[in-house]
Amino acid sequence: MKRKKPAAPAKPGPSGFDVEAYLESAGAESALVQYRRGAVVYAQGDPADDVCYLQKGAITLSVLSRTGKEAVVAMLSPGDFFGEGALAGQSVRIGTARASEASIVRAIPTPAMARLLHAESAFSDRFISYMLARNMRIEADLVDHLFNSSEKRLARALLLLARYGQAQPQRSLPRISQETLAEMVGTTRSRVNFFMNKFRKLGLIEYNGGGIKVKSSLLSVVLHD
């Protein structure tokens, strides 16, 4: 892990508010940190004393049970916040955040984040919208696990990773292992391998052991009864 000089702000998103530019210009006591692939941003049980903003790369959030079983609960892309539980009085991290590719993360101490939210309504609106969308995603994930087959869960996970339905979907996904996909959808690696080969043969995805290209036609698997 090494500190990095602030990078040039990204262009404003669909809302017209440039989060990165605001975080850099507001004088927050934040640190821009670069992580190599596989590096831990924070571990389960660490003190929760800041909120993180993913500026570049990809982050995997996972939780480890008392019996040693690990489950991937989310995969984040640039523009996502994480570790927000610190704002709600969470004293320790309830999961682990790990860079799934080379990443740049801005860590904002909790008091500074609270001041930024109160100082700029546009930033507060952006953050609240993100948290509401995250909550909706968690509820949808629960329904998905309760009622859908592992094949549908995998198709939905791939579409979500590709940000299907959003303003700027990413057809090509970062490199992700079948083990990670299995943890995300709650099944075995062999089942994931079977369904991935099936999706590829049907022309719904493209992959050759590395990156994955997701086609919108994969939605047919989710909608099929």
Side-chain angles (χ1 to χ4, degrees):
M1 179 181 78
K2 61 180 180 179
R3 297 191 178 274
K4 181 181 177 70
K5 293 182 179 180
K11 294 180 180 180
S15 65
F17 182 74
D18 193 329
V19 173
E20 291 177 21
Y22 175 63
L23 293 176
E24 288 189 6
S25 65
E29 302 169 7
S30 62
L32 203 60
V33 187
Q34 180 174 299
Y35 295 90
R36 67 182 183 279
R37 184 170 182 255
V40 173
V41 179
Y42 58 73
Q44 188 169 325
D46 283 353
D49 49 17
D50 57 25
V51 178
C52 299
Y53 175 80
L54 179 56
Q55 186 163 310
K56 181 181 180 181
I59 297 292
T60 299
L61 301 182
S62 63
V63 177
L64 189 67
S65 72
R66 293 182 179 179
T67 59
K69 184 177 181 180
E70 186 175 26
V72 174
V73 295
M75 291 196 68
L76 308 179
S77 301
D80 289 345
F81 291 94
F82 57 106
E84 67 280 354
L87 288 170
Q90 189 181 87
S91 58
V92 298
R93 304 295 191 188
I94 62 173
T96 296
R98 182 179 284 104
S100 48
E101 61 180 63
S103 302
I104 299 175
V105 174
R106 183 176 292 278
I108 310 162
T110 307
M113 184 66 174
R115 288 195 296 271
L116 290 172
L117 288 168
H118 284 98
E120 175 56 65
S121 60
F123 177 60
S124 180
D125 290 344
R126 165 72 169 75
F127 184 76
I128 291 173
S129 295
Y130 176 76
M131 289 298 104
L132 290 173
R134 171 82 71 85
N135 186 64
M136 291 171 61
R137 164 75 183 277
I138 292 172
E139 290 181 353
D141 285 347
L142 178 58
V143 172
D144 188 42
H145 276 268
L146 288 174
F147 298 110
N148 288 335
S149 66
S150 53
E151 181 178 12
K152 282 189 176 183
R153 296 200 303 270
L154 176 60
R156 178 176 176 271
L158 291 172
L159 288 165
L160 287 172
L161 289 172
R163 301 204 165 195
Y164 176 80
Q166 297 190 22
Q168 296 179 328
Q170 53 184 87
R171 186 167 176 263
S172 296
L173 304 183
R175 185 175 179 181
I176 180 172
S177 69
Q178 292 188 355
E179 288 84 355
T180 299
L181 287 171
E183 291 172 357
M184 290 182 67
V185 302
T187 189
T188 63
R189 182 192 176 282
S190 61
R191 293 295 286 170
V192 167
N193 183 61
F194 173 80
F195 292 131
M196 291 290 283
N197 286 328
K198 178 181 177 180
F199 295 162
R200 180 171 58 180
K201 289 178 181 178
L202 291 172
L204 305 177
I205 64 172
E206 296 177 10
Y207 81 100
N208 54 7
I212 303 172
K213 293 183 178 180
V214 178
K215 299 183 179 180
S216 59
S217 53
L218 183 62
L219 184 62
S220 62
V221 177
V222 179
L223 299 178
H224 179 71
D225 290 326

